[in-house]
Amino acid sequence: MSNKPPPPRPAPRLYLATPIVDDPARLVADLPGLLASADVAAVLLRLKETDQRTMISRVKALAPPVQKAGAALLVDGHPDIVARGGADGAHLTGLAALEEAAPSLKPDRIAGVGGLATRHDSMSAGEMGADYVLFGEPDKKGQRPSSQAITERLDWWAELFEPPCVGFATSLEEAHDFAASGADFVLVGDFIWADPRGPKAALVEADAAIKKAHATAPASQDPAGQEHGQRPT
């Protein structure tokens, strides 16, 4: 039996959530430079609710610059427009949504899931084939767990399970802490776009923070760590 330690866990990567997109023109222009500035694995497209044809056209406009940069484009909800818009997958909320959408998305497209209130729900999502689980996002009332609770959930998942876990960070400090606790990806959004220096400076800073957290965190002893992906696929 080999006594070699497991390979080190790959460095966490960013998962960038867009603002709510109505007119995509500005974002189409800004994304190439933004994605070139940091190690972004995927972009979560948050669409303004409107008719389906319009939403599909917005996905079609944004998919090429994201994919050309080597990132995956996921649509927040709306799994029914993923294929027609040329996106790489969908982010779903709750087990029922995952169960309903998974047959149409997998195996060719990504099915990620959040809205997992309990550890049991998280394990059920993994058993159902979720490509990643997200911890820490606000609920419909805008409430979310404490940073400590999110950190504990990420640490628990990373130690025991193979599918990647994502931490929803609302600040640079949370991005750092979630990366240190074992997140494979750190989802950043509103605080990036609201930064007075501009989103590029904020994204570069977040990227540096999660890489630093990973570099200084204790080495993982999880043999499954070698399975944790570098892109939510």
Side-chain angles (χ1 to χ4, degrees):
M1 180 179 294
S2 172
N3 290 321
K4 290 182 179 179
R9 182 173 65 89
R13 301 185 67 193
L14 290 169
Y15 184 4
L16 176 64
T18 70
I20 303 297
V21 174
D22 186 0
D23 180 358
R26 173 73 181 271
L27 200 55
V28 169
D30 290 348
L31 274 174
L34 194 59
L35 297 179
S37 69
D39 182 24
V40 178
V43 173
L44 179 63
L45 175 55
R46 301 189 293 185
L47 290 166
K48 181 179 180 180
E49 294 290 337
T50 184
D51 64 277
Q52 191 174 81
R53 179 178 294 182
T54 300
M55 289 193 290
I56 291 171
S57 71
R58 290 171 183 164
V59 177
K60 286 182 175 179
L62 288 161
V66 172
Q67 293 162 346
K68 189 175 181 180
L73 179 69
L74 278 73
V75 180
D76 190 6
H78 306 291
D80 50 327
I81 69 172
V82 166
R84 285 178 284 175
D88 297 288
H91 175 75
L92 308 160
T93 301
L95 294 177
L98 175 63
E99 184 175 21
E100 181 179 349
S104 66
L105 292 171
K106 297 177 69 69
D108 297 325
R109 289 180 169 83
I110 300 164
V113 64
L116 304 168
T118 67
R119 292 189 177 194
H120 182 268
D121 285 351
S122 307
M123 291 187 288
S124 295
E127 292 169 357
M128 292 165 62
D131 291 296
Y132 68 78
V133 292
L134 172 68
F135 301 130
E137 77 278 26
D139 62 19
K140 291 181 179 179
K141 297 180 179 179
Q143 303 296 313
R144 64 193 293 262
S146 67
S147 293
Q148 181 179 350
I150 299 167
T151 297
E152 290 173 355
R153 184 68 63 86
L154 290 164
D155 182 67
W156 163 75
W157 183 271
E159 185 174 336
L160 297 176
F161 302 101
E162 180 179 325
C165 57
V166 184
F168 184 104
T170 60
S171 67
L172 186 67
E173 292 74 23
E174 284 190 348
H176 175 278
D177 292 347
F178 295 166
S181 68
D184 298 281
F185 303 93
V186 177
L187 181 63
V188 295
D190 292 346
F191 81 92
I192 297 293
W193 303 103
D195 194 296
R197 300 169 300 170
K200 182 179 290 188
L203 196 65
V204 168
E205 191 173 46
D207 189 32
I210 67 173
K211 296 297 191 291
K212 180 180 179 181
H214 172 75
T216 57
S220 171
Q221 296 302 309
D222 172 22
Q226 60 187 307
E227 302 294 340
H228 285 197
Q230 279 289 285
R231 187 169 181 249
T233 56

